Each structure stands twice: as C-alpha cells, then as structure tokens.
C-alpha cells in the first residue's frame, strides 16, 4: 500500500536490543565510548550495517564517510532520517544512536505495516558528530552539505593523520568533497535526546524542535595586580578574581533578561574560570572566563555579545583592572522548517502524543542538512536533563513513542 | 665604651656587597632561589659563616639548625636580631636575607664606633622560614621556641627524608628539640621587607610592626548540578560557579568592613578558585574557593570565620546549591612587644627617620621567638609592594636607614 494507513505499532524489544547491543560496543574501561574513526566506532558501524541489511536496506558509505541505509521508493526524491553513532569520551547510551535505532524501528514498522514508500527513505549514521580529535564536530553532515573545504580536511588528528586521510581510511572519498553531495533530499527529520530538563519537568514525551541555536564563545581576560594576601590592604588591591566574579553574575543576569524577552531560547554560561596564580596567599593578578552563548535569535546573540563587552569593562573598572575580550567563535541559528514542524505536530496529535515546541541549545547534524533540504528534529526526554555522561537516560517507552511518531511522519512526508 | 654614644653611620658598600654576593648564590636557572636544605642554601650559609667571622662573631649551629653569630658581652643575657636566608622558588633578593645583612651592618657600625656591648648580641639565620618541601614554615624559629614536636619532625620531604633527618644532616641535633632552647634572650628585633605597598605609598622609610596577624584558611565547596550549557534553561540551573562568584564578592565586602572597623590589620582573599568540570559548554556542577584571612585581632578573625559560613550558605541558597565549609588552618595573632616598639620609635626619632606603626599580614620568625622573649620588627619599603618574585626590590638607602636604626636600637636595648 502506498496511501496513508494506520501503521503497526513500533515493537519495543528489537529497539531495546539495538540499544543494548550498541552499548556493549564501547571502550571497556570507560563506558560508553565510541570515538569516531576508532576501531570501536567501526565495530559499531559493522553492527549497524548488519542491522540495516537485516531490515532490508541497501547500505553504502557516501564520500563524507556517512553510513547510509536505503529503502528504495518508486519515485525520485529522498526522505531522510538518522543521527550519529559516535560518542563523547565516557558519554551516554543514547546520544546520538537514538536517532538511528528509532529510525530502524520506524522503518521496520512501515514495512511490517506493508507500507510501500513512494520516495526513497534513507537512514543515515552521520560521521563524527561529536567534537573529534581533529577539533571539528559534525564532520559527516558538513561533508554532505559541502562545508568541508581544504582547511577542514587538512586538520591534523592523532598521530598527525589528516582529517581527509582519516575519512578516506574509513571508506569515504574526500576527492568528491567541497561541494554539496545531494540535491535529492525532500525532507530530513532527526530524533535526538533533549539533553536538557524541560520535557521531563513538564512530563511531555515529545519535543518538536523550533530551531538549533547559534553558538557564540567569548574569552574574557581580566588583568589586575598579583599581591600578597596578607600584606596588601583591602583598599589597595586590583583583584582580577573579583572582576571575574562580578562579570559572571552580570552575564547571568543579562542572559536571564534575554531568556525572558520572548526572543526564543537564550542561555549564557560561564563554565570556564581560571584565576592566576591560583594560590591561597596571593591576590589574583589575572583571571580568565569563557562565556558560552546560545541564541535561537541571531539578533539576540548580537545584542548580548556587545553587552558582554560592556559588562566586562564595568567589572574590570569596578576593581581597578583592565580587560580584553576575544570572540573565539560564532555560528548562526538554524530555524527548523515550519511545515515539517507542523507535519510532526499533526502526526503527534494523530497518535495521541503530547508534544511541545522546544529549541535546541545544542548543535546537531540537522543544522548542516538544513543547508540542503527542509530539516526538523524530534526530542525525547532526558532524565534529570543529563547527557554526555554515563548517567544519560531515557525510558524505552519514550523511544517507542518517538519511533511511532517518526514512522507516522515519514509516511505523511512521503504522501505530501 | 659601653654607655650610649653617637654611633658611626652604616656603610652602604659592604651591605650592598653582601646583597650582591648572596644574590649570586642561587639556582642559576631560576633566580633567586635558595631553598632550605639544598646545596645552594648551604652555599649561602657558608658565605654567611665567613662573613660573620670576618665581622668578629663566633659562629655555631643550634640544635634546630639555626646559624648563630655571637658578639660576646660582659654580662648575662642576649639581645638577638636576624631573619632567614632561604627563599621561595624564584623569589626575591631581600626576603629574608635583608634581616641578616642589615644585622651584620649594624654590628659592624657598633664595632666601628668602639661600642662594647654589655649583653651578648646574636645574629641568627633561622632555618627554613619559607614553606619548605616538608610542608612546614619557620622550622628554625619553631625549633628554638620548642614548637617542633614528634609530629612535625616526622614530616616527609623529598626522597622521603624526614624533617628530623634533614635538620640533622645540615648540622642540627634534633634529639635536643621539643622544648624551648633558650631562656637567655632579653629582646629580639627582626628587620624584614614590608612585602606590601603601604610604606612606599606613604613615602615612609620605616615601619614599626605592631603585630603579626593570625592566619585562617577556609575551604568552601559549593555543590550544584552540572548541566549542558546549551540545553539547560537559565531558570532551571543550579550553577555552583555563580555561588562561588557571589561568595567571593561577599567575602571582600565583609573584609572591607572589618578592615575599616579600627580593629587592626584585616584582610580576606579568595585566591584559589576551581570550577568543575571547567568546560565551556557545561554549567559548573561544583566550585571550590579557598579563603585566606589575616587578622591582627583574634576576635575579628573569630567573627569573620563565623560570618564566612553565613556568606557561603547565602551564596549557595541563592543559586539552589549546597555548601560545605572546612577550616583548613588557624593561627593566632602575635602582638609585638609595646616597649620594644617604643624603643624603636624613639631611636628612629633620634636618627631623624620617619616611621609609622604597621601590622604584618605575613608570618615571620619573630612570631615564634616572641614565645621566648619580647620581640619586635622593623619593616622597610617594598617597591610596588611586591615580594616572593624576582621583581622584589628595596633601595639600598632604605636598608642603610634600617641598619642604622637597628644599631641604635640594639645599643639602647643593651643599655636598658
């Protein structure tokens, strides 16, 4: 059948088995770790390739090293889903394998239901989504989108292996990179764990991602004068640590205000703090703070980056210090496709699944695929909002719901 | 002559030569370093021994490893001066050799003037005043005061050498330690650089130390919840780094208030700050701050230590964190002897030297010698208040003034 039908429900058991089997493919001394390009990672891919084939997909590697399983349709055009199988060191069981395992479960449900897709459905394991030893994240989705140029491909990694050599080693063909690899994608939908606390706190099983926040990073260095903690009288100090403390609180207050301003998701974090010389008996002579800023609205990012410089100057002045502010990086926000969001929302309603719109503060492959095609994401709850750590957890029931939603969504997209 | 006379002025040249010669005795790759118990330190002591003998002093090591030069008097009782010849790693040229070099210059002036002391005058190089590799400071003055017991003597140092073995190795006799070594000291006066900015800022050449501050150390550990910097919404965070920032500012405000309260010298410093995991994309889950508190008034120290706990709890509460406060250490303030202070002040007036009372925020051997006898200190200005670093500087003219004052003071004490 190729019309819209009532799909069979996703089975929990094979989905659970995939998670368990993949969890076992880890560096044994630090679960759960499958670092991209390593033998452990390739072992995970061997498992996925076998499973893709078991579910009737034809499997290939594209030039960017992405593993692609393909369920052929009768008409041109591809509807794509997927995520990534690499992890951070000592990461979790679900980021980002959830998007592949749920994709497999959804395709299995489509097939079990006898649904014959008009468009080809592709399930992708994007290469090296997490920041890799080559200093780059989203390697495979960048490559697919034509965003891996000579600079990126020349990045050196472990044992001085260049990134292009590493991609070729695992089966890619970097001679074909540097331009978009695809013009046939009609839509892309990625399932991912939320990695935040919102869905769990509101007891909502499905997040429909409104956009992927842009990320800005500032390095702020305060310079005061190191002095003896016992002999420098309080009024004669230029304590760079206190400038840093003032600045951290100002950043939070400013971010809180912007987060409440109705301009979408906004956060700012001072996660890195170094004071020097960091001795108990020395007034800090310098201090460095790294600010991480996430904004769904690029204008809000611009505003805050400018404000942060003013905050830094005020914090320095108040303690008789000087300050320098360096922009370390800046990416722009990627809105998810509104029509795809609506399709997912309708599908969720149809299945009786509560959902809410939610921004992604983290980066994802979908942000690069969005350069090629309409893209959207489905989030599932993360227990205690935790991620990138062994405690990362999502109940199987939530994955089953998301896989059911993905199957329904893929069918609706195939029909539209 | 043994009555009070007009003393010959201290000569700058030999004093300057002593500083230059001792500066040359350093670990060559990191001037200026003479770490206690090392061959370089012992080379410095060989120089001092030769110089003591050149100025007519008889030289010995006491059981605590202190090098003592002695100018015999005609009556019982000792008037003592001195400081220490060891340094911190990559320290300065004057802390604490200034007190020995100026002592030598003062004794030379007494002898040049034909002054015959009634009491014996001793010039002491106290062993290991700076925190040593054995984890203890003021080793020699502790030993002289009877404050080196079995616990301290068993401390392990480099190559697992115990402190008692190290003291014995350099010529001490630790079997005699554990009780006060002296009951014959009538007065002790130590010259030291200020290590702070006050004398230079006020253009006053002489500081007469009112007391040596007690030192308290608190370790304050905030526990929040680590979270993804992009996905944890601002209002749902428990950011331990922000608790630390609040606490640092509260400590400074509290210290400022106490410093202005007329209860003597008071400082509090948050020189050590660690946030964890200290990653740009992670909301800090925990943060640790070490507070260094210096108080001339022990009651002010008590008050502040209790207040600091309240400040820590308030800073934790404000960010939804918890906190634990640990007292790492606590020493009590040591007031300098008021009659000795008056004698020094009178001597300074007699010599036309401007002086001011000044507390010592740093620890000194005088604090331990004060357990045996009336003790006082004379401070000289430190350029930019700097110390424990290669930039440490005091003009020779200031040392000459201090040595003249010491000679005059020793004579007055000898007469009284």
């Amino acid at each position: 059948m190729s019309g819209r039908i009532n799909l069979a429900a996703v089975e929990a058991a094979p989905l659970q088995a995939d998670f368990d089997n993949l969890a076992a493919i880890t560096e044994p001394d630090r679960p759960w770790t499958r670092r991209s390009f390593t033998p452990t990672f390739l072992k995970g891919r061997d498992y996925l390739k076998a499973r893709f084939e078991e579910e009737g997909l034809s499997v290939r590697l594209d030039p960017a090293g992405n593993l692609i399983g393909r369920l052929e349709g009768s008409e041109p055009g591809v509807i794509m889903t997927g995520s990534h199988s690499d992890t951070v060191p000592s990461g979790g069981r679900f980021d980002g394998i959830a998007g592949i395992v749920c994709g497999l479960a959804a395709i299995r449900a489509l097939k079990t239901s006898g649904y014959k897709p008009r468009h080809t459905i592709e399930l992708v394991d994007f290469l090296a989504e997490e920041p890799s030893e080559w200093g780059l994240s989203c390697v495979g989705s960048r490559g697919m989108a034509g965003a891996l140029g000579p600079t990126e491909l020349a990045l050196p990694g472990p044992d001085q292996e260049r990134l292009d050599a590493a991609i070729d080693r695992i089966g890619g063909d970097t001679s074909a990179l540097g331009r978009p690899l695809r013009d046939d994608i009609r839509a892309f939908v990625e399932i991912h764990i939320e990695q935040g606390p919102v869905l769990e706190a509101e007891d909502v099983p499905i997040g429909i991602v409104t956009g992927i926040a842009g990320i800005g990073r500032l390095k702020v260095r305060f310079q005061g004068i190191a002095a003896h903690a016992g002999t420098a009288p309080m009024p004669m100090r230029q304590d760079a640590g206190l400038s840093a403390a003032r600045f951290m609180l100002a950043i939070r207050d400013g971010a809180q205000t912007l987060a409440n301003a109705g301009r979408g998701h906004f956060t700012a974090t001072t996660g890195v703090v170094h004071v020097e010389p960091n001795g108990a008996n020395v007034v800090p002579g310098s201090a460095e703070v790294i600010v991480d800023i996430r904004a769904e609205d690029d204008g809000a990012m611009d505003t805050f980056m400018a404000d942060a410089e003013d905050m830094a100057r005020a914090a320095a002045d108040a303690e008789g210090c000087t300050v320098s502010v360096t922009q370390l990086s800046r990416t722009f926000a990627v809105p998810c496709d509104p029509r795809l969001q609506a399709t997912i929302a309708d599908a969720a309603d149809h299945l009786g699944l509560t959902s809410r719109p939610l921004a992604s503060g983290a980066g994802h492959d979908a942000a690069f695929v969005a350069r090629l095609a309409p893209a959207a994401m489905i989030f599932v709850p993360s227990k205690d909002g935790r991620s990138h750590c062994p405690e990362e957890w999502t109940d199987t029931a939530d994955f089953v719901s998301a896989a059911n939603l993905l199957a329904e969504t893929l069918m609706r997209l195939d029909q539209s």
Side-chain angles (χ1 to χ4, degrees), chain A residues 60-327:
Chain A
R60 66 184 171 98
L61 274 183
D62 79 359
N66 302 307
L67 180 75
I68 303 180
R70 190 173 163 98
L71 181 66
E72 292 295 334
S74 52
E75 296 175 19
V78 167
I79 295 165
M80 187 180 277
T81 188
S83 193
H84 61 97
S85 68
D86 66 317
T87 70
V88 297
S90 300
R93 270 163 282 199
F94 306 113
D95 174 6
I97 196 66
I100 303 172
V101 169
C102 290
L104 261 180
I107 289 171
R108 183 183 171 91
L110 289 173
K111 293 184 72 175
T112 306
S113 312
Y115 182 77
K116 303 281 180 218
R118 289 161 49 195
H119 303 86
T120 294
I121 294 176
E122 286 191 6
L123 175 59
V124 184
D125 172 21
F126 290 100
L127 179 64
E129 192 266 354
E130 303 291 358
S132 70
E133 277 70 17
W134 284 258
L136 199 69
S137 62
C138 295
V139 169
S141 51
R142 282 176 201 263
M144 186 183 280
L148 278 187
T151 311
E152 291 81 14
L153 289 170
L155 286 170
D159 300 325
Q160 293 304 308
E161 185 186 35
R162 285 166 49 119
L163 181 58
D164 47 10
I167 295 172
D168 291 339
R169 168 168 60 80
I170 62 111
D173 173 13
T174 50
S175 69
L177 298 184
R179 55 184 182 281
L181 299 179
R182 306 289 294 263
D183 62 4
D184 56 347
I185 308 171
R186 298 284 190 267
F188 174 73
V189 180
E190 177 175 4
I191 287 180
H192 204 281
I193 60 169
E194 181 196 343
Q195 306 181 264
V198 176
L199 293 176
E200 184 191 47
E202 300 190 357
D203 199 18
V204 170
I206 297 292
I208 301 174
V209 177
T210 53
I212 298 164
I215 306 178
R217 293 259 169 90
L218 299 175
K219 184 172 79 179
V220 179
R221 188 171 175 79
F222 295 98
Q223 192 65 48
I225 294 182
H228 191 298
T231 61
M234 298 306 294
M236 295 179 78
R237 297 180 171 198
Q238 290 160 270
D239 184 333
L242 295 179
S243 280
R246 282 176 183 273
F247 177 68
M248 291 163 72
L249 295 168
I251 283 290
R252 195 273 302 281
D253 291 347
Q256 197 101 271
T257 303
L258 262 175
N260 294 337
R263 297 172 74 177
H265 183 72
F266 190 91
T267 63
T269 306
T270 49
V272 173
V273 185
H274 287 290
V275 306
E276 289 154 34
N278 212 33
N281 64 345
V282 189
V283 177
S286 62
E288 199 168 282
V289 177
I290 293 181
V291 189
D292 175 291
I293 310 162
R294 313 276 175 136
E296 208 178 346
D297 178 323
D298 289 326
M301 173 75 82
D302 291 335
T303 301
F304 194 80
M305 279 203 162
D307 288 352
E309 290 220 29
D310 294 340
M311 294 176 207
R313 258 191 302 274
D317 288 350
E319 304 294 338
C321 297
T322 58
V323 67
S324 64
V325 179
T326 313
Q327 182 177 313

